[in-house]
Amino acid sequence: MNKSVYQYLIDIISSRGAVYAVLIDPDQKNDANIEKQVEAVNSGDVDLILVGGSLMMDSRCHDRTRRIKENSKVPVVFFPGGLSQLSPHFDAMFFMSILSGRNPHYLIGEQVVAAPIVHDMGIETIPTGYLLVNGGIPTTVQFMSNTTAIPANRPNIAVAHALAAQYLGMKLVYLEAGSGAQNPIPVEMVKMVTSCLEIPVIVGGGLRSPEAANQRVLAGASIIVTGTIIEENADAGIMKDFASAVHIKG
Ligand code: 1GP
């Protein structure tokens, strides 16, 4: 691909209304199904694969990332759960900071250690402000990052963080309820954040139906992420249902 992954995303947002991204966790739990999941993505009108997870239960995540990249027809982007998952197989990475938290390690510590390695690998970086919102149950990301999530019924707090991300020069804001969240990001919060922002907003965590994804795109989300759905059923038909709910234009 000649253009940057960021430009690829911007072009899809403008031509199709929003991007549908599928998160594949390169953890042991997906080992047997990686090729099947990528095949469902390839045939399911999915625009992007995100790779990452909050906790790896063995040492083979790089090998799984390579298998994802080798089989994928769409760009493969690192969604960092931690520095140890960084690999040269990625087309780009969300260079993220957990801005909703006050844990310096995830605000800037990991990023400083990662930066020279990213520079050496030459991976495209997409600066992303990551905002963790309470999804109703404690999630792995919340526990592992040792941060407090934004209360789901306080959209103003999300707006303030999202604006700060934009003014700091971030190119994307990720509204995250956490993988397997009981409640996805409230539609009202998506509306309030996107109406104040000029940069695209990603929404993920706990989205279990195409309707739920569609509501958030109509509320202003530019990128929708699902992860658990493909882990439960690596089926191209389900991916297509989500993709057509997300692609509201064209
Ligand atoms: C996690 O938002 C993603 O970062 C995906 O969440 O697994 O709940 O779809 P789910």
Side-chain angles (χ1 to χ4, degrees):
M1 189 162 62
N2 286 330
K3 64 182 170 187
S4 66
V5 172
Y6 182 70
Q7 192 56 50
Y8 165 83
L9 299 178
I10 295 298
D11 290 350
I12 293 175
I13 293 164
S14 99
S15 62
R16 306 194 76 185
V19 166
Y20 180 39
V22 165
L23 172 67
I24 301 181
D25 191 339
D27 186 27
Q28 193 180 41
K29 65 181 174 187
N30 285 325
D31 193 66
N33 286 325
I34 290 262
E35 280 77 13
K36 214 174 152 214
Q37 291 177 355
V38 177
E39 183 44 43
V41 163
N42 286 339
S43 320
D45 200 20
V46 175
D47 303 301
L48 185 75
I49 293 180
L50 296 181
V51 176
S54 299
L55 185 63
M56 297 299 128
M57 297 304 290
D58 69 9
S59 61
R60 292 175 46 214
C61 80
H62 296 293
D63 184 49
R64 292 186 196 104
T65 300
R66 180 191 51 77
R67 286 162 57 197
I68 293 167
K69 177 59 192 165
E70 276 175 9
N71 289 288
S72 175
K73 293 190 175 139
V74 296
V76 177
V77 170
F78 183 31
F79 175 47
L83 181 58
S84 62
Q85 297 161 30
L86 190 52
S87 102
H89 303 296
F90 294 113
D91 296 304
M93 68 180 289
F94 290 163
F95 202 84
M96 300 196 322
S97 174
I98 307 186
L99 295 180
S100 55
R102 299 296 180 269
N103 179 347
H105 184 69
Y106 289 104
L107 274 169
I108 188 62
E110 284 265 319
Q111 293 82 346
V112 169
V113 181
I117 301 169
V118 170
H119 182 256
D120 185 47
M121 285 178 174
I123 299 173
E124 176 189 340
T125 49
I126 305 174
T128 303
Y130 185 79
L131 310 186
L132 189 56
V133 176
N134 192 319
I137 47 167
T139 54
T140 310
V141 58
Q142 198 178 324
F143 184 84
M144 295 305 294
S145 65
N146 193 19
T147 61
T148 306
I150 295 171
N153 61 349
R154 294 286 183 274
N156 283 338
I157 300 180
V159 168
H161 281 78
L163 282 171
Q166 176 172 290
Y167 298 149
L168 281 165
M170 301 290 188
K171 287 190 174 172
L172 298 173
V173 161
Y174 197 130
L175 287 178
E176 169 74 280
S179 187
Q182 201 168 50
N183 313 314
I185 303 291
V187 171
E188 201 48 41
M189 182 180 279
V190 177
K191 258 187 210 157
M192 281 182 63
V193 168
T194 57
S195 65
C196 293
L197 242 58
E198 281 152 37
I199 55 175
V201 172
I202 309 169
V203 172
L207 293 170
R208 305 196 60 83
S209 69
E211 294 71 29
N214 178 258
Q215 285 167 1
R216 280 141 187 96
V217 175
L218 294 177
S222 295
I223 302 177
I224 293 291
V225 182
T226 67
T228 303
I229 295 288
I230 204 167
E231 284 180 13
E232 290 176 350
N233 197 349
D235 175 73
I238 296 173
M239 294 296 100
K240 277 186 190 155
D241 290 345
F242 273 88
S244 59
V246 170
H247 298 138
I248 56 170
K249 260 164 73 176

